[in-house]
Amino acid sequence: MKLRTSRRRLFAMIVGGAVILLIIFAWGLSDYYAGLLKPVNPKNNQAVTVTIPAGSSLKEVGQTLEKNGLIRKAWAFEFYARWKHLNQYRSGTYTFNRTMSVDRLINDLGKGNYNRLVFIVDVRQGMWLSETAGQMSKASGLSTQDILNKLKDPSYIKAHYMKRYPFLTDRIFTKGIYYPLEGYLAPGVYQFVRGKNPPTLDQMVDRMLDKTGQTVTRFSKEIKTNSLGSLHSILTMASLVEQEAPDAKDRQKIAGVFYNRLTKKMKLQTDPSVAYGQQKRIGQYTMNELTTDTPYNTYTRAGLIVGPIGSPAPDAVQAVLEPIRSNDYYFYARPNGQIFYSKTYAEHQAIVAKYSHEWAKKS
């Protein structure tokens, strides 16, 4: 009797273990399949043009999409398409990109959305407005110079943007500022539905200002109480912080250093301001470049400069609003991203002497 009971228990344990293993396997398989349906590369919005010939089978459509790097596996696309009852799709030439999920691709194929959805304006963190205008030009067909002319015109900016966006104040027209909306066009990947006509300048700028408005709303309390006194000044410092470090913690530390230097009435002496002032990207700075005066050169101008030097990300704004306080007045960034902080000029100079050759090699 005891032997039979032991066998039954052993059998139950084996069956139970097998069931658990099957559940784990099924869960893993489900998770794997779900991964096959996600975008191939959420950060790559480069347009990919594909042509789906008339009479193509779902298997052939899937193979075409896989060949062009738009999906991971053709069989997963075919299985999902059949499950979604995509019995009919429209042949033609489509413009897709690798940020699109299989579900989105199937939706566009079913509706025949050829060449409609175009990811056109990619504003990277720290990008200058003059560079953003080039992205807008590619999307809209407007010339880069026409875009810059409008975005430098106070009358145009007042008529088209300032009434809708109250965070735009007359500070953006401070004497010496190159582009009034510099720093206010939030970084991000902006997508537009292209119908018969490409997006207008206002449509593109509005989307970017809308995103900035979200950041302003998110940090509204902190902005009101910040010692810099205005959103314009906060965005200005945030744009400097943005250019100096990619890491969130380092951005907070650098913001703390900037506050310390401002309190002591020291010049901020940050290299990216020199490049922006001369409107050229600089690798290794020369003494002549560092001492050439512009409204943005923090080596020749005391205090906070007239305006932002690029598009700061929300976390750069947050770093300015929530700095890490210290007794440091200097910092030095190596090409590998490591940043050293110093309390005295002598300490800082020793670090510069040790590592400055690395930048010379890189340039």
Side-chain angles (χ1 to χ4, degrees):
M1 189 70 176
K2 290 183 178 179
L3 183 59
R4 289 181 181 178
T5 302
S6 297
R7 286 177 177 175
R8 286 174 183 172
R9 287 180 179 175
L10 178 61
F11 180 75
M13 290 174 63
I14 292 172
V15 171
V19 170
I20 292 172
L21 287 173
L22 283 172
I23 291 173
I24 293 172
F25 176 76
W27 179 83
L29 185 63
S30 174
D31 190 55
Y32 170 72
Y33 180 70
L36 296 178
L37 304 180
K38 293 179 180 179
V40 173
N41 188 342
K43 296 183 179 180
N44 184 358
N45 70 329
Q46 184 175 358
V48 178
T49 301
V50 295
T51 298
I52 306 299
S56 299
S57 66
L58 274 178
K59 182 178 182 180
E60 290 169 335
V61 173
Q63 289 172 342
T64 298
L65 296 176
E66 183 180 346
K67 182 180 179 181
N68 284 275
L70 292 164
I71 60 175
R72 290 181 169 83
K73 296 293 181 180
W75 66 262
F77 168 86
E78 182 183 0
F79 181 84
Y80 189 71
R82 293 189 186 283
W83 183 73
K84 294 283 285 188
H85 305 293
L86 180 66
N87 299 316
Q88 293 183 348
Y89 58 88
R90 299 189 181 185
S91 59
T93 300
Y94 292 79
T95 298
F96 296 136
N97 65 74
R98 294 179 178 87
T99 70
M100 299 173 73
S101 66
V102 168
D103 198 55
R104 184 57 182 274
L105 292 167
I106 287 174
N107 181 67
D108 279 13
L109 286 165
K111 293 181 178 179
N113 291 339
Y114 348 92
N115 292 331
R116 289 184 68 243
L117 186 61
V118 183
F119 293 73
I120 48 173
V121 183
D122 183 5
V123 183
R124 297 185 299 278
Q125 297 176 8
M127 183 178 278
W128 300 343
L129 192 145
S130 56
E131 296 167 334
T132 299
Q135 295 287 317
M136 293 182 183
S137 175
K138 294 176 183 178
S140 64
L142 298 170
S143 75
T144 300
Q145 193 56 54
D146 284 344
I147 292 172
L148 291 176
N149 287 341
K150 287 184 177 179
L151 297 186
K152 284 194 295 186
D153 183 356
S155 298
Y156 186 87
I157 292 171
K158 289 178 181 179
H160 289 252
Y161 310 122
M162 292 190 75
K163 291 181 181 179
R164 183 175 174 184
Y165 301 99
F167 56 81
L168 295 175
T169 68
D170 286 339
R171 283 288 302 278
I172 66 176
F173 302 122
T174 301
K175 183 179 179 182
I177 285 180
Y178 294 171
Y179 301 105
L181 295 183
E182 186 74 84
Y184 290 85
L185 302 184
V189 177
Y190 298 91
Q191 58 189 40
F192 299 86
V193 175
R194 185 193 291 269
K196 293 181 179 180
N197 300 308
T200 66
L201 174 60
D202 286 356
Q203 287 174 331
M204 293 184 287
V205 172
D206 282 343
R207 289 283 297 280
M208 298 173 196
L209 291 176
D210 284 342
K211 192 171 182 180
T212 297
Q214 293 171 7
T215 300
V216 172
T217 300
R218 175 185 170 189
F219 297 113
S220 59
K221 292 182 180 179
E222 293 86 349
I223 291 172
K224 289 178 181 177
T225 58
N226 185 265
S227 62
L228 294 178
S230 71
L231 174 65
H232 187 77
S233 294
I234 291 167
L235 289 177
T236 298
M237 185 183 284
S239 71
L240 298 174
V241 169
E242 175 73 61
Q243 301 276 356
E244 288 288 7
D247 179 75
K249 190 172 183 180
D250 275 321
R251 287 178 173 185
Q252 289 179 289
K253 288 182 178 180
I254 289 172
V257 171
F258 284 158
Y259 278 114
N260 289 345
R261 293 178 73 90
L262 288 173
T263 300
K264 290 287 188 179
K265 300 188 183 305
M266 299 170 65
K267 293 175 181 176
L268 296 184
Q269 295 183 319
T270 174
D271 293 353
S273 70
V274 175
Y276 182 85
Q278 297 177 37
Q279 285 291 287
K280 64 177 182 179
R281 295 291 183 178
I282 301 173
Q284 182 75 6
Y285 292 82
T286 65
M287 186 56 65
N288 181 60
E289 288 166 336
L290 293 174
T291 56
T292 298
D293 184 48
T294 72
Y296 294 89
N297 190 339
T298 55
Y299 283 86
T300 61
R301 304 284 177 118
L304 205 56
I305 49 179
V306 293
I309 63 167
S311 299
D315 65 345
V317 175
Q318 185 174 8
V320 172
L321 297 172
E322 301 172 2
I324 293 177
R325 298 292 185 175
S326 68
N327 294 319
D328 296 320
Y329 288 87
Y330 304 88
F331 65 89
Y332 182 84
R334 296 178 64 191
N336 65 4
Q338 183 182 14
I339 298 179
F340 296 98
Y341 299 88
S342 308
K343 295 179 176 60
T344 69
Y345 184 66
E347 292 174 350
H348 176 66
Q349 282 297 90
I351 293 170
V352 172
K354 185 175 181 180
Y355 295 105
S356 60
H357 70 280
E358 295 177 338
W359 285 104
K361 288 182 179 178
K362 186 175 181 180
S363 61

